[in-house]
DNA sequence: CTGTATCCAGACGGATACTG
DNA sequence: CAGTATCCGTCTGGATACAG
């Protein structure tokens, strides 16, 4: 038996598991990478597009909208000539990002 | 800028992001919940089936096979009359489970 | 009890073209 | 530069029935 209390993993009423919901909130194929990217500081749309490799602009936009709605990232249009838009992690997003980094370490360490 | 070094998030050659791979390794809809369940100790197939709610036996089996192949869980058939099979986390799986718990806390805390 | 075998509907994501 | 709009193939997971 482990130290923490193994409570109900899914809500008896809604049948929803908070952890599964959180992981789903992290997004699909590119969500985690996107979040991990932003742990390095704010980035523009095209920068993200290039950093994430083969992601389509459609999917990237959708993912950004979801994260924004969840309060994980902030969207701030710059008023320069190129009309770029900067995306950055909110405090809440950074907290999640910190856990993501542990996932990164775990995948490297091969415990 | 944050404290940790923001290296390449996806491999320049393979285009693979370790974090995204890890999250994908965590499985689909029920993977995280399954892993979280097992942090409380070993469970039998049917116990897991009931704990996870509406998961089909097909999907549960597939997920268990994946986790087993990844070295996250162990499968040990009991020799009792009911021919039950116990599943439990390996050390590696427990290490990942510890991070999952943080995800649980994060989703609750609403930073 | 612990699976395996089909079948299938819906979600997900990629390609492409177009707009402000 | 930063999206939006369609179209469409693929992958996932649920239902169901059957088997060791």
């Amino acid at each position: 038996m482990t130290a923490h209390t193994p409570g109900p993993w899914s809500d008896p009423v809604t049948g929803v598991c908070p952890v599964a919901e959180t992981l789903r909130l992290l997004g699909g194929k590119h969500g985690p990478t996107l979040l991990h990217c932003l742990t390095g500081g704010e980035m523009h749309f095209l920068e993200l597009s290039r950093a994430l490799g083969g992601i389509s602009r459609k999917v990237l936009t959708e993912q950004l909208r979801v994260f924004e709605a969840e309060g994980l990232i902030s969207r701030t249009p710059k008023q320069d000539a190129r009309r770029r838009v900067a995306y950055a992690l909110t405090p809440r997003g950074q907290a999640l990002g910190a856990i993501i980094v542990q996932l990164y370490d775990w995948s490297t360490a091969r415990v």
Side-chain angles (χ1 to χ4, degrees), chain A:
Chain A
M1 184 67 80
T2 56
H4 86 288
T5 58
W9 300 277
S10 51
D11 186 293
V13 178
T14 63
V16 171
C17 170
V19 174
E21 282 306 293
T22 300
L23 270 315
R24 274 188 113 59
L25 182 155
L26 261 181
K29 188 173 179 180
H30 300 285
T33 318
L34 170 56
L35 221 47
H36 195 211
C37 271
L38 290 175
T39 59
E42 74 169 30
M43 295 180 78
H44 303 137
F45 187 83
L46 195 55
E47 284 180 322
L48 287 170
S49 180
R50 294 194 308 122
L52 298 189
I55 191 176
S56 68
R57 288 189 291 272
K58 186 196 81 169
V59 175
L60 177 54
T61 300
E62 289 171 350
Q63 191 66 77
L64 287 168
R65 294 291 176 272
V66 170
F67 282 169
E68 194 186 356
E70 292 289 344
L72 265 37
I73 63 173
S74 62
R75 196 190 97 109
T76 53
K78 304 290 182 180
Q79 297 303 330
D80 59 9
R82 295 186 194 79
R83 284 152 215 175
R84 291 185 300 178
V85 176
Y87 291 93
L89 293 182
T90 62
R92 175 167 163 74
Q94 289 178 30
L96 184 53
I99 303 180
I100 302 293
V101 171
Q102 294 186 47
L103 243 21
Y104 183 93
D105 294 337
W106 177 88
S107 67
T108 303
R110 298 273 142 185
V111 176

